[in-house]
Amino acid sequence: MTFKETEFPATLKYLKAAMAADPDPLLIKEVLAQIIKLYEAVPLYPGIANMCAAQAVKAVEPKDVAVGQKIYFQKGNVSYLGTVAEKTADGLKLKAVKAAEEDVSVSLKDMSKVKAINEKILEELWPSLVFEKVK
Amino acid sequence: MKEQKIGKEEFFLLVGPAQFAVTSGAVEVIAARIGKGEKLNVPLGKRVPIRALEDTVLQVECEPDKLTKMEGSSIPAEWDALAKRVVGERRDGRLYSIVVLGEVDTGKTFFSTYIANRLLHHLKRTAILDCDTGQSDIGPPGTFGMLVMKKPVVFLTEEPATYLYMLGAHSPGLHFLPALTGLAAMLEKARADADALIIDTTGWVQGDGGRAIKKSKLDIVNPDMVVLMQRGTELEHLVKHLPKERVVRLPVSKKASSTSQMERKSLRELVSVRYFKGAQKMEIPFSRVFTDRCYFLTGTPLTLDGALHAERLSAWEGSLAVTAKPLTPDVSKGWPKEIGRVTNFVAGDEKGLMVGLLDDKQNCLAIARLDEIDFAKKCFRLRTPFSGSPEQVRGIQFGSLKLAEDGREAGFIEPGSI
């Protein structure tokens, strides 16, 4: 038997690839958080959770980030994770920042390795699996 | 309502919502004869080809342009040849089984219905087993439904299932073993009740899971005929082991329409809401039933401070503790170490869970929605269309789907959590 009856190995492969691509613990922790959130949303479909997780964190150009979007980036040797509160032609302001004590303003040209975290990936890819809580 | 005359061997396509009555003559719809004085309702989302068996007059009610004349039959002639072959090959006293394979939206159900109706012209007992729990036509979503047909049927969704088996999920993905057990159980019933059985399957035919489950199903059924409804060669990997004469390849009709995720969900909910329409509340004491596919009520009762319910499970399984809120070390710190690792279930998370009501032979009597487990009064509170006596219910089989009170979908419970 070479067929898998579980998606667990696929999850591990995805994590391994994510760690190889960018071993920053701040980003890996966010990747894990997204996987857990997706699995808890659709515990019957770990394959769909994996598929969504693989598309939840995507590399983007600094100019393409949008207000309200959760993003990760590096500025110099410091990495940041937070939600874009404001954006101008030159830079943006991040709120709810991890890896810094206060909100941070940054110039777009100083940002590198920018990743956008799509927290609504399940709604986008598999809307039929999004439910209201049972009353 | 308009009058429509149809000459013998003329063909029309009717798109629902619509209905017609036969004023004179007779027509055939999916191989089911509809004669003078008979009516047919075509639900929203369905469309049917109409063939006039003789010069016929219909009274038709439909939206404009929803009844159109066709140049000829949309049913391939080889379908009828296939039915004749089945009749010729079948031997008395032995079930003739046909497995229909195809990806989603390839017309498997339409084909299965047509062949079953056609076979009924020659055989007394024809059955269809619907294993597509994500798009159930026989029985509510999440179940295998089998219909032992007494007469031709146009829409399988309009008929109550002769037998039900609860899978408890829309996909066999995390439910491989119950899916195969259910298939074997239904096959046994078909051997007793039918001359021919058509097994309509899910569209999951690729990847590890699709290959594994389809091969296992073919091994269990050992069918006399496997019908591949394919656009290209996408199903060939599933039948490499079978003798060539047992495999029939049919092209997918160009009329087979694709349905989106949300349309599929809407169709599932239509069936589910209808199943639960008129459902009654039922209360069943723990003491009167066994539980299945869960840990709950399978161990030895325990008393633990702060727990609404607790039981010691088997050996390394530890214990199950039901609490009003998620378990914290403050609550569990005084619990004895001998109870092992603790699986915590928060009361209320069971609300809406789909369960099967089993009789003493583990036959599924009906599907129910679990409104509540009353841990204080030690009873299940359910909502079900089952019209029999609560005393007939001897087992509660836990599923993984959650339903709203009216039958709409409401999420999942993690398998193994209670």
Side-chain angles (χ1 to χ4, degrees):
Chain A
M1 176 74 163
T2 64
F3 294 141
K4 296 182 292 296
E5 293 184 27
T6 166
E7 295 292 337
F8 183 61
T11 309
L12 293 183
K13 277 183 188 170
Y14 168 59
L15 280 174
K16 191 176 172 183
M19 286 193 291
D22 200 330
D24 183 347
L26 186 67
L27 183 60
I28 296 302
K29 190 177 170 190
E30 182 61 24
V31 168
L32 284 171
Q34 293 300 323
I35 291 174
I36 292 166
K37 188 178 95 170
L38 286 162
Y39 176 71
E40 286 179 345
V42 287
L44 291 198
Y45 300 107
I48 290 175
N50 277 346
M51 187 189 80
C52 291
Q55 296 188 50
V57 180
K58 279 193 170 172
V60 292
E61 292 296 323
K63 65 179 173 53
D64 294 332
V65 299
V67 173
Q69 198 170 34
K70 193 174 192 179
I71 63 166
Y72 160 94
F73 65 89
Q74 291 181 356
K75 180 186 171 190
N77 291 326
V78 183
S79 49
Y80 298 89
L81 181 72
T83 304
V84 179
E86 293 171 25
K87 189 183 175 200
T88 64
D90 300 325
L92 54 80
K93 186 175 180 183
L94 213 59
K95 67 176 181 180
V97 181
K98 293 179 183 173
E101 291 299 316
E102 297 173 354
D103 291 358
V104 64
S105 295
V106 61
S107 170
L108 294 183
K109 64 181 170 49
D110 292 336
M111 296 166 68
S112 63
K113 295 190 174 180
V114 184
K115 307 276 193 303
I117 291 105
N118 187 347
E119 297 198 282
K120 293 192 173 175
I121 191 75
L122 184 65
E123 285 92 324
E124 287 177 16
L125 293 183
W126 226 281
S128 61
L129 293 180
V130 178
F131 304 97
E132 289 178 26
K133 192 167 170 55
V134 182
K135 291 172 186 167
Chain B
M1 191 77 82
K2 69 167 187 176
E3 185 176 283
Q4 178 70 51
K5 290 179 179 169
I6 306 181
K8 184 179 178 182
E9 291 304 327
E10 283 187 340
F11 298 86
F12 278 72
L13 184 70
L14 181 59
V15 179
Q19 59 178 313
F20 71 79
V22 180
T23 310
S24 67
V27 296
E28 192 180 70
V29 176
I30 319 180
R33 187 181 193 278
I34 301 171
K36 185 181 173 183
E38 293 182 301
K39 295 178 181 175
L40 180 72
N41 282 310
V42 183
L44 178 69
K46 301 280 185 186
R47 53 183 177 174
V48 291
I50 300 172
R51 171 194 177 198
L53 297 172
E54 49 194 272
D55 289 343
T56 300
V57 179
L58 302 178
Q59 293 296 322
V60 185
E61 192 172 333
C62 67
E63 290 172 12
D65 305 325
K66 297 298 180 186
L67 180 67
T68 51
K69 191 170 189 296
M70 297 191 293
E71 289 304 311
S73 174
S74 57
I75 309 286
E78 57 198 307
W79 290 18
D80 288 327
L82 208 67
K84 280 183 187 164
R85 179 180 149 186
V86 172
V87 173
E89 289 181 359
R90 197 194 72 82
R91 296 288 167 261
D92 282 344
R94 185 181 170 277
L95 180 74
Y96 191 99
S97 58
I98 304 166
V99 171
V100 183
L101 299 175
E103 290 185 309
V104 293
D105 297 329
T106 49
K108 297 187 293 292
T109 302
F110 185 91
F111 170 79
S112 299
T113 309
Y114 184 90
I115 292 295
N117 284 340
R118 196 52 91 209
L119 289 178
L120 265 183
H121 296 179
H122 306 279
L123 307 176
K124 283 183 185 166
R125 309 177 307 165
T126 300
I128 298 182
L129 172 56
D130 178 7
C131 294
D132 192 352
T133 55
Q135 216 61 73
S136 297
D137 284 283
I138 305 171
T143 65
F144 290 175
M146 186 156 71
L147 177 65
V148 180
M149 297 163 66
K150 306 259 186 326
K151 58 180 176 51
V153 167
V154 176
F155 300 111
L156 298 175
T157 47
E158 304 299 305
E159 302 293 319
T162 312
Y163 297 109
L164 274 182
Y165 175 86
M166 193 189 76
L167 184 69
H170 293 144
S171 161
L174 288 189
H175 297 70
F176 274 14
L177 294 177
L180 296 175
T181 307
L183 175 64
M186 294 299 234
L187 198 57
E188 198 61 34
K189 292 182 193 306
R191 285 189 179 117
D193 283 14
D195 301 314
L197 172 68
I198 297 140
I199 302 175
D200 190 3
T201 58
T202 69
W204 193 22
V205 292
Q206 283 119 7
D208 290 26
R211 283 175 180 248
I213 191 116
K214 286 296 180 296
K215 175 64 166 56
S216 298
K217 283 186 174 181
L218 288 172
D219 288 350
I220 288 172
V221 177
N222 189 20
D224 298 284
M225 181 186 288
V226 179
V227 176
L228 307 183
M229 303 200 71
Q230 56 186 351
R231 295 186 169 88
T233 57
E234 68 271 18
L235 304 174
E236 297 294 335
H237 60 276
L238 298 172
V239 293
K240 296 277 186 194
H241 64 295
L242 289 174
K244 284 179 183 169
E245 62 273 15
R246 279 207 262 166
V247 182
V248 174
R249 294 167 177 83
L250 296 176
V252 175
S253 165
K254 291 192 174 83
K255 293 192 187 320
S257 52
S258 64
T259 43
S260 68
Q261 284 175 34
M262 292 309 282
E263 285 171 329
R264 294 172 74 78
K265 181 181 181 184
S266 295
L267 289 169
R268 275 199 305 270
E269 289 189 325
L270 271 177
V271 176
S272 184
V273 167
R274 191 162 62 171
Y275 182 80
F276 279 96
K277 193 176 179 184
Q280 302 287 317
K281 291 184 177 179
M282 185 180 277
E283 195 170 297
I284 298 179
F286 293 170
S287 59
R288 235 191 27 235
V289 289
F290 63 87
T291 54
D292 189 29
R293 298 190 195 156
C294 61
Y295 291 102
F296 183 58
L297 298 184
T298 63
T300 308
L302 277 177
T303 302
L304 298 174
D305 287 343
L308 301 171
H309 168 93
E311 54 188 293
R312 183 71 171 89
L313 302 174
S314 177
W316 58 262
E317 289 177 349
S319 297
L320 173 69
V322 180
T323 51
K325 291 180 178 175
L327 189 60
T328 60
D330 276 353
V331 175
S332 62
K333 66 184 176 190
W335 292 358
K337 285 184 179 162
E338 305 84 77
I339 67 172
R341 76 181 175 113
V342 174
T343 299
N344 178 220
F345 185 80
V346 178
D349 282 355
E350 79 282 6
K351 190 167 188 166
L353 190 65
M354 177 187 192
V355 297
L357 307 182
L358 306 182
D359 69 10
D360 55 354
K361 294 189 174 72
Q362 296 200 76
N363 295 307
C364 184
L365 298 166
I367 300 302
R369 177 200 190 251
L370 189 53
D371 284 348
E372 180 190 18
I373 300 179
D374 189 330
F375 297 98
K377 293 185 177 170
K378 299 187 187 308
C379 68
F380 296 100
R381 296 215 170 85
L382 307 156
R383 194 178 296 260
T384 177
F386 179 56
S387 55
S389 159
E391 278 71 35
Q392 288 176 259
V393 180
R394 298 301 307 279
I396 305 284
Q397 190 171 52
F398 282 46
S400 304
L401 299 174
K402 281 189 173 182
L403 302 167
E405 283 185 9
D406 62 359
R408 283 177 301 108
E409 296 178 5
F412 316 99
I413 194 170
E414 185 181 14
S417 59
I418 183 167

